[in-house]
Amino acid sequence: MAAVGSTGVGAVEPLVLVTHDGRTAAHARCTPDRAADVVAAAADDPDGIADGADAVVEHEPGRPRLPALDLSGLDAGDRRVLGACGWRRPTEPADHEAAGGFAEHEATAVRDAAADLRGRGWGDWCRDRPLGGTWDAARAADGDPCVVVNGHGNPADALLLASAPFEVLEGAQAAARAVGGDRVVVYASSDDARAVEAVREAAERYPDPAASVDVVAGPPEYRAAEPTMALEAIEGNHRLEARLRPPGPEKEGLHGCPTLVHTPRTLAYLAVALREGGPADTRAVTVTGDVDAPATVELPESETLAAAVDAATVDGEFKAACVGGRFGGVTRSLDVAHAPEDLAEAGLGTEGVVQVLAEDRCIVEFVGKRAQFASETNCGRCVPCREGTTQLAERLRDVYDRNYDAAGIEELVRVMERSSICAFGEDAGRPARTAMAAFESEFEAHARGRCPAGRCMETTEGIAQ
């Protein structure tokens, strides 16, 4: 019996998997007593592992990654990058090696693999862009390059660090070799204690690393995930402000050295691409919000948002989704593919988080709170973000005072998107902009003193007199 990490699908956990001779039985939501009974029964009769199981799957003996199971959230596609989660012991090198890990690849092969691989998440300096150009710039810059693994704030990144840290570290080691670096720094939120602990132990047990590895826990603030503010946090600066650019981190990064800043997702995709001879055409997506339990799944880029939402049970009737993280786009339609260009065309974000909003949610209240959060937590470094988020929150409050200036809000958001110095300010207005497009009637109703969802009655009743 071995303890593995989370699968990322909370609704089925604690999950006990019993594998024998190319057959795996899954026992979901196990109590300690039931888990003990399952283990005892399997020890007595290995051929009877399916007795009382919630799902059973046949597969090749010695399979290196979690097979698809007929359980909600674990039945979607074939996990390639998340495959170790819930299947291998997170900090056991032998498990990773048995799956083909720890192979050393020539620097040129790594650079070739990175040339077309796009960065995942807003914490990645190469968000939605191929890594190759940034790596070339780092190699050409003065100083010794280093690699920062920015695992701050995204649930899929935290899952990889906690359940599959060797996948991430292997990608980081390969990246360091490819640019001539000898140092890797793994950075995560102090709120993700399990991820920090697991990756720290995995780093200590990593066999013959080419680059040294340090693990740093940073402050839990949302903005601390922004790539240059992550560098500020790692350097120990208490006031986190976005750095002016250019130059970017690839030329002047951690302690002035050329630095690659990538998320755990990006580096895990790199490790799998090197091992399997090509990039996985998938996306790690976390479904959260008004659902029974958050679920992180891996889906083909061609698959729609609807497939991701199907991985969880919605609490109530589906109304909308905020796609792309805290500052994602609000949409009624889930008929949009996960590929970055499809999400961008639909005005949505690519952070890999889909927040479900049930029918009783008020969209105006939702985006108003996002704008207020942005106004209170931005770093204050640039005017478009600092003043723009404040004005945006005020204009959304004005809707309750029967002053709905849609054109003014749209213009303000455009200015923020075009002139803010970092992704925080560029993205902060997206929830409001997209929500006004998809739910215009709700904004107009609030301006007339009525909340269609019935959540803002205290405010609107006073206005309606």
Side-chain angles (χ1 to χ4, degrees):
M1 185 170 66
V4 296
S6 171
T7 63
V9 180
V12 301
E13 296 180 349
L15 178 67
V16 175
L17 300 175
V18 184
T19 299
H20 176 66
D21 198 21
R23 193 179 191 213
T24 291
H27 303 261
R29 299 175 292 280
C30 274
T31 63
D33 287 344
R34 185 185 173 199
D37 291 343
V38 168
V39 172
D44 290 341
D45 179 16
D47 292 325
I49 61 172
D51 295 343
D54 296 288
V56 180
V57 62
E58 307 282 345
H59 55 79
E60 289 293 322
R63 181 184 169 88
R65 55 179 182 255
L66 183 70
L69 291 159
D70 190 18
L71 293 173
S72 179
L74 295 179
D75 55 354
D78 184 16
R79 293 183 161 208
R80 294 178 64 184
V81 174
L82 298 180
C85 302
W87 190 249
R88 300 177 218 154
R89 290 170 290 184
T91 60
E92 176 51 59
D95 287 13
H96 187 65
E97 187 171 19
F102 300 128
E104 287 200 13
H105 302 274
E106 295 292 335
T108 52
V110 179
R111 291 197 291 272
D112 288 344
D116 297 322
L117 180 64
R118 292 182 287 193
R120 262 74 169 171
W122 88 293
D124 197 297
W125 183 247
C126 297
R127 177 174 65 163
D128 301 332
R129 294 184 290 111
L131 314 185
T134 299
W135 285 26
D136 290 343
R139 293 175 64 211
D142 294 332
D144 297 325
C146 69
V147 176
V148 167
V149 182
N150 185 5
H152 192 295
N154 180 280
D157 286 332
L159 173 67
L160 283 166
L161 291 178
S163 292
F166 286 125
E167 294 283 25
V168 179
L169 292 175
E170 184 168 0
Q173 290 287 333
R177 282 197 302 275
V179 298
D182 61 2
R183 185 186 180 200
V184 170
V185 179
V186 182
Y187 167 74
S189 169
S190 57
D191 276 354
D192 292 325
R194 181 174 297 179
V196 171
E197 180 182 357
V199 74
R200 184 168 282 148
E201 182 177 344
E204 292 172 353
R205 304 189 68 188
Y206 197 99
D208 301 322
S212 65
V213 180
D214 296 314
V215 178
V216 176
E221 285 90 342
Y222 173 77
R223 70 174 186 272
E226 196 276 331
T228 65
M229 284 190 258
L231 298 180
E232 294 288 312
I234 294 169
E235 291 179 358
N237 296 323
H238 295 296
R239 182 174 174 80
L240 299 183
E241 290 184 339
R243 293 182 179 178
L244 298 175
R245 71 244 13 218
E250 73 275 20
K251 294 182 178 178
E252 192 172 315
L254 190 64
H255 300 298
C257 297
T259 304
L260 307 182
V261 184
H262 295 307
T263 59
R265 281 168 288 168
T266 302
L267 294 166
Y269 270 89
L270 175 63
V272 171
L274 291 168
R275 188 163 65 239
E276 299 188 358
D281 187 19
T282 61
R283 290 269 155 177
V285 182
T286 299
V287 183
T288 184
D290 296 331
V291 295
D292 59 341
T296 297
V297 296
E298 183 177 347
L299 296 169
E301 288 189 344
S302 58
E303 194 60 89
T304 65
L305 296 171
V309 172
D310 284 345
T313 301
V314 179
D315 288 336
E317 289 292 320
F318 173 85
K319 178 176 184 176
C322 182
V323 180
R326 190 178 293 272
F327 297 143
V330 177
T331 179
R332 294 177 184 271
S333 173
L334 297 177
D335 189 22
V336 180
H338 290 284
E341 52 268 26
D342 292 294
L343 293 170
E345 184 176 350
L348 308 177
T350 58
E351 173 64 359
V353 177
V354 178
Q355 181 177 0
V356 173
L357 305 178
E359 186 62 36
D360 61 350
R361 287 274 199 158
C362 171
I363 297 299
V364 178
E365 177 191 39
F366 177 79
V367 301
K369 287 183 175 178
R370 290 294 155 101
Q372 186 64 30
F373 173 84
S375 73
E376 293 173 350
T377 63
N378 71 84
C379 76
R381 183 67 182 267
C382 73
V383 173
C385 180
R386 184 180 66 241
E387 297 300 324
T389 54
T390 299
Q391 291 184 28
L392 179 61
E394 290 172 349
R395 292 188 182 207
L396 289 171
R397 277 197 295 271
D398 287 345
V399 176
Y400 291 93
D401 293 328
R402 299 191 175 186
N403 183 19
Y404 174 41
D405 180 11
I409 293 174
E410 289 170 358
E411 175 61 22
L412 175 62
V413 172
R414 276 196 295 272
V415 171
M416 293 165 60
E417 289 174 339
R418 293 172 180 173
S419 54
S420 295
I421 65 170
C422 81
F424 187 108
E426 293 169 356
D427 297 345
R430 182 161 49 198
R433 174 174 55 77
T434 51
M436 289 193 305
F439 291 90
E440 183 180 17
S441 63
E442 288 210 13
F443 285 82
E444 292 173 342
H446 279 74
R448 294 194 299 270
R450 186 176 71 86
C451 172
R455 292 177 63 100
C456 307
M457 296 305 295
E458 184 175 339
T459 303
T460 55
E461 281 177 352
I463 297 171
Q465 299 301 319

